[in-house]
Amino acid sequence: MKSSVRRLTVPLAIGLAVLAGPAMLTGCSIQNLVHNATGGKVDLGGKEIPKDFPSEVPIAKGEVLYGLSVGDSDGKVWNLTITVAGASSFDDIAKQLTDAGFTSDGAVQGSTADGGTGVFASDKFGVIAAVTKDGKNGWVANYTVSTVKGK
């Protein structure tokens, strides 16, 4: 599972980083640029949870700062950033995920004073969860969720 999450998220992150520079220089919409590059549906949901965010993935309570999804029926990635109470929120997120049937590949780092990170998997989804301090919004949780190939 860890490799399938990495196969989707690493190229997406690299692709978005590469595409963001030219888009800013030319004034093109990031959404249009990513859509043209991937051929998939792009939903830059803004300050809301993407409409098709998987209900099987529990999320912490908090204000949605950013949500997006990229992909189609062959594979999809969602990203969600929300405010949380503090560094210990990672432990609550990890418990929510494991209570929902997700397992960890052992790459879970419990909360520290700086937050926490973990990789979780089910038979349908891979989840990378991270909690960190954001200078503007206080503590935030970020979820990157990808579909498992063929599910």
Side-chain angles (χ1 to χ4, degrees):
M1 170 51 59
K2 188 170 154 181
S3 64
S4 64
V5 171
R6 189 175 293 136
R7 273 195 302 262
L8 286 174
T9 56
V10 171
L12 175 65
I14 292 169
L16 288 174
V18 168
L19 295 174
M24 290 179 190
L25 292 175
T26 63
C28 292
S29 158
I30 295 289
Q31 184 169 353
N32 288 338
L33 203 54
V34 173
H35 177 76
N36 292 338
T38 65
K41 183 176 189 294
V42 178
D43 177 10
L44 298 178
K47 290 188 170 241
E48 62 185 44
I49 299 169
K51 292 176 181 103
D52 62 348
F53 190 88
S55 60
E56 298 92 337
V57 179
I59 55 173
K61 291 182 181 175
E63 176 188 354
V64 176
L65 299 173
Y66 189 70
L68 71 82
S69 64
V70 177
D72 55 27
S73 61
D74 290 332
K76 192 146 195 174
V77 175
W78 297 265
N79 192 276
L80 182 64
T81 302
I82 61 171
T83 60
V84 293
S88 64
S89 296
F90 177 77
D91 294 332
D92 297 332
I93 290 168
K95 183 172 178 359
Q96 285 179 316
L97 287 164
T98 55
D99 287 352
F102 286 81
T103 58
S104 168
D105 67 354
V108 174
Q109 170 199 349
S111 64
T112 68
D114 297 321
T117 59
V119 178
F120 302 87
S122 73
D123 61 341
K124 291 173 64 177
F125 301 102
V127 179
I128 300 171
V131 171
T132 188
K133 185 136 177 117
D134 175 27
K136 181 179 177 187
N137 300 297
W139 289 94
V140 296
N142 182 270
Y143 297 79
T144 301
V145 180
S146 61
T147 54
V148 173
K149 186 89 169 148
K151 300 287 180 180

